[in-house]
Amino acid sequence: MSAGSAFPPLLPKVDAILVLDGEGKRLAGKYYGDFMKAASPTDGSSTDNAKSAQSVEQLRGSFERQLQSKIGGIAARPDAAEVVTVLGKTAVFCGGSAAQGGQGGGE
């Protein structure tokens, strides 16, 4: 196999960074590139842009709800990463519940 026909190396790609609360609502988030964008032809009018922005927000909200429903039942350790797949996207998350044992104060 010649060097010119070699496959490019597999590099991880970050499409989004999200911070969700315990109910799956976005506290902070950044989506990169075309991740979760609706592909729809527009003529560039402001009403089409507003509809497109609304549909993108709906897609992202739906993704975030599905992500939360999938990770909600996982008892994740705060110092370890967990991996799930949602809508064909791989999600890596870490976390844990703030309500872990020993809430009742000191001994």
Side-chain angles (χ1 to χ4, degrees):
M1 182 181 257
S2 70
S5 65
F7 293 107
L10 296 176
L11 298 174
K13 179 182 171 193
V14 175
D15 290 320
I17 298 174
L18 301 171
V19 177
L20 304 177
D21 68 6
E23 297 174 356
K25 294 180 181 162
R26 185 183 332 137
L27 299 176
K30 175 68 178 166
Y31 287 89
Y32 300 97
D34 292 334
F35 182 72
M36 301 305 290
K37 286 191 178 176
S40 61
T42 62
D43 62 4
S45 70
S46 62
T47 57
D48 285 341
N49 289 339
K51 288 179 184 177
S52 177
Q54 183 180 10
S55 65
V56 168
E57 190 59 32
Q58 289 173 343
L59 282 170
R60 290 175 177 175
S62 174
F63 174 77
E64 292 163 7
R65 283 188 299 277
Q66 290 182 33
L67 177 62
Q68 175 61 27
S69 70
K70 194 150 194 181
I71 66 175
I74 297 174
R77 291 178 37 182
D79 61 344
E82 303 288 340
V83 180
V84 296
T85 302
V86 178
L87 296 176
K89 302 290 184 181
T90 302
V92 180
F93 71 97
C94 52
S97 175
Q100 295 180 4
Q103 284 184 354
E107 289 180 26

